[in-house]
Amino acid sequence: MKIYRIPMVPGPVSVSREVLEAGQENFGSADLEKEYIDLYKATEKSLRKIMQTKNSVVIQTGEGMLALWSALKSCLLPGDKVLVLSTGLFGYGMGGMAEAIGCEVRTVGFGFDETFTDFDLIEKAIREFQPKMITMVQNETPSGTMNPVAEIGALKEKYAVPLLYVDAVSGLGGSVVKTDEWHIDLCLGASQKCLSAPASMSFLSVSDRAWEIIEEVGYVGYDALLPFRTAVKNAYFPYTPYWQGTAQLNKACELILEEGLGKVIARHQKVAGYCRERIVKMGLKLYPAMDAVPSPTVTAVYVPQKISWKNLDTRLRAEGLVVGGNYGCLAGEVFRIGHMGTQANLNLVKEAMDILEGVIRGN
């Protein structure tokens, strides 16, 4: 495996020595030891602070997609109506996931390089379709854009939509997420993005209304949320917990809270601004549209016409810099610089931009 000197992929991000070492202890059985329950509760408490919620937080073993699937399958039944709001690959992907469950899906889609702007259109869709659940992505990693959650939460409340499902996987810990204030019922996160832990843990906050629906649905699969409602109280988890992964996630949360959540978010914003300023100065074109809200955790850039993505990627790697490619319709056309978590470091981004500029100028 090649370890690059300057890792700037948009997750999984580089992990600090402190977080790695937090998982080195040879822990005992999680189902038998009170210490695991204490660790789980401490991690949940920290995640609540980062997510700005009083709701319970479920912590699962598996990377971020686990939370996305478990929330959908635990809350939805075939025939349920799901309104998908999308500006990118992950947004549209939620529609496909809901369809796989047998739900009736309606999509309000915007350009991949856009941010939700037509709230009248969204409100009309909510009013006419009357969904059980609204899904959206807070931070579209492939597009380098962010979507306004507060406005959607307000509409959810206005029309008494039972559930608002928000993928905040790549924004949580690097941008403002106000779960309770924004009326989010299911706020989904993962360890490998801004929290800068290994890609082994996912988590989500669950509102009281969501728990009621989860009880009604009664989903019993491996990824079911229902058993977690009493897991801590009964000291019995639905499957063997990953003690080391929980310890690493806990340490990652501690580091954010020790620095101060506000300071961490400000650091991400500063680094993102610098990155985009350098991109423009070197003559490259940012992907998001002018009126889109840019992400503070990832910058998306058009691959320059004079060089292919494969060639650019190869040359950057030769200089010790690795950035992210893209997927679907953006593959080969747009690349991404992940300045999230440990990589939201101004010196690291400066070095990365110097290498990128050198490769571009030298083409």
Side-chain angles (χ1 to χ4, degrees), residues 247-309:
Q248 290 175 325
L249 176 60
N250 182 60
K251 173 55 70 173
C253 292
E254 284 182 355
L255 293 176
I256 288 176
L257 295 174
E258 286 172 5
E259 182 179 349
L261 182 58
K263 290 181 179 179
V264 171
I265 292 171
R267 171 163 55 84
H268 279 78
Q269 292 171 336
K270 181 178 181 180
V271 168
Y274 172 81
C275 180
R276 282 188 270 273
E277 182 181 346
R278 285 289 303 272
I279 290 293
V280 172
K281 284 184 177 179
M282 69 179 75
L284 296 180
K285 183 181 178 183
L286 295 170
Y287 175 69
M290 288 293 293
D291 58 349
V293 178
S295 166
T297 67
V298 58
T299 293
V301 187
Y302 280 102
V303 176
Q305 293 183 349
K306 59 185 178 180
I307 185 172
S308 69
W309 160 243

Side-chain angles (χ1 to χ4, degrees), residues 5-299:
R5 184 169 57 88
I6 309 174
M8 298 300 295
V9 296
V13 303
S14 57
V15 180
S16 72
R17 179 58 54 187
E18 290 172 283
V19 171
L20 287 173
E21 291 178 350
Q24 295 306 303
E25 187 171 344
N26 190 18
F27 296 105
S29 169
D31 289 333
L32 298 178
E33 305 295 336
K34 176 180 179 297
E35 287 79 2
Y36 181 76
I37 301 299
D38 292 340
L39 173 63
Y40 185 100
K41 289 166 67 176
T43 309
E44 181 185 10
K45 182 178 180 181
S46 294
L47 286 170
R48 280 175 172 164
K49 292 179 181 178
I50 294 170
M51 302 172 84
Q52 299 191 43
T53 183
K54 294 180 180 178
N55 294 331
S56 59
V57 175
V58 171
I59 304 169
Q60 299 172 295
T61 302
E63 71 89 40
M65 286 302 298
L66 174 63
L68 273 66
W69 273 114
S70 66
L72 290 175
K73 291 195 287 185
S74 295
C75 294
L76 297 174
L77 292 168
D80 282 343
K81 293 182 177 181
V82 178
L83 180 64
V84 174
L85 308 180
S86 178
T87 58
L89 292 167
F90 283 98
Y92 285 104
M94 289 173 185
M97 294 163 72
E99 286 176 343
I101 297 172
C103 297
E104 180 183 350
V105 175
R106 180 177 295 184
T107 301
V108 178
F110 298 85
F112 279 31
D113 62 343
E114 296 179 340
T115 291
F116 298 157
T117 52
D118 193 341
F119 295 104
D120 289 339
L121 178 65
I122 293 172
E123 181 171 5
K124 182 173 183 289
I126 294 172
R127 184 174 61 251
E128 294 179 351
F129 190 52
Q130 299 181 19
K132 177 181 182 180
M133 175 186 285
I134 300 171
T135 70
M136 65 172 291
V137 177
Q138 180 243 2
N139 191 73
E140 271 284 2
T141 322
S143 303
T145 58
M146 290 191 73
N147 283 309
V149 184
E151 289 83 348
I152 305 304
L155 289 173
K156 172 247 181 185
E157 287 292 292
K158 179 178 179 179
Y159 291 96
V161 177
L163 296 170
L164 175 57
Y165 167 113
V166 177
D167 173 354
V169 169
S170 64
L172 193 66
S175 63
V176 176
V177 176
K178 298 182 178 182
T179 302
D180 291 353
E181 184 177 322
W182 295 347
H183 308 292
I184 303 173
D185 296 282
L186 300 154
C187 187
L188 319 173
S191 57
Q192 74 270 20
K193 301 286 188 176
C194 300
L195 272 60
S196 304
S200 60
M201 307 299 292
S202 59
F203 52 88
L204 66 158
S205 64
V206 185
S207 71
D208 290 341
R209 179 62 178 129
W211 278 125
E212 291 173 2
I213 291 173
I214 289 166
E215 291 275 3
E216 293 168 3
V217 170
Y219 174 62
V220 295
Y222 175 81
D223 52 353
L225 290 176
L226 185 56
F228 283 92
R229 192 170 195 182
T230 58
V232 172
K233 178 182 177 181
N234 297 336
Y236 188 82
F237 286 79
Y239 49 77
T240 303
Y242 183 22
W243 198 322
Q244 287 85 355
T246 307
Q248 290 175 325
L249 176 60
N250 182 60
K251 173 55 70 173
C253 292
E254 284 182 355
L255 293 176
I256 288 176
L257 295 174
E258 286 172 5
E259 182 179 349
L261 182 58
K263 290 181 179 179
V264 171
I265 292 171
R267 171 163 55 84
H268 279 78
Q269 292 171 336
K270 181 178 181 180
V271 168
Y274 172 81
C275 180
R276 282 188 270 273
E277 182 181 346
R278 285 289 303 272
I279 290 293
V280 172
K281 284 184 177 179
M282 69 179 75
L284 296 180
K285 183 181 178 183
L286 295 170
Y287 175 69
M290 288 293 293
D291 58 349
V293 178
S295 166
T297 67
V298 58
T299 293

Side-chain angles (χ1 to χ4, degrees), residues 273-352:
Y274 172 81
C275 180
R276 282 188 270 273
E277 182 181 346
R278 285 289 303 272
I279 290 293
V280 172
K281 284 184 177 179
M282 69 179 75
L284 296 180
K285 183 181 178 183
L286 295 170
Y287 175 69
M290 288 293 293
D291 58 349
V293 178
S295 166
T297 67
V298 58
T299 293
V301 187
Y302 280 102
V303 176
Q305 293 183 349
K306 59 185 178 180
I307 185 172
S308 69
W309 160 243
K310 183 177 181 180
N311 191 1
L312 177 62
D313 184 41
T314 299
R315 293 172 63 180
L316 292 176
R317 288 172 185 262
E319 297 293 331
L321 170 62
V322 59
V323 298
N326 226 310
Y327 312 99
C329 63
L330 302 181
E333 303 295 327
V334 174
F335 69 97
R336 300 167 298 151
I337 300 161
H339 36 71
M340 58 178 66
T342 56
Q343 296 167 189
N345 179 300
L346 192 57
N347 291 331
L348 187 69
V349 176
K350 284 181 178 178
E351 193 169 1

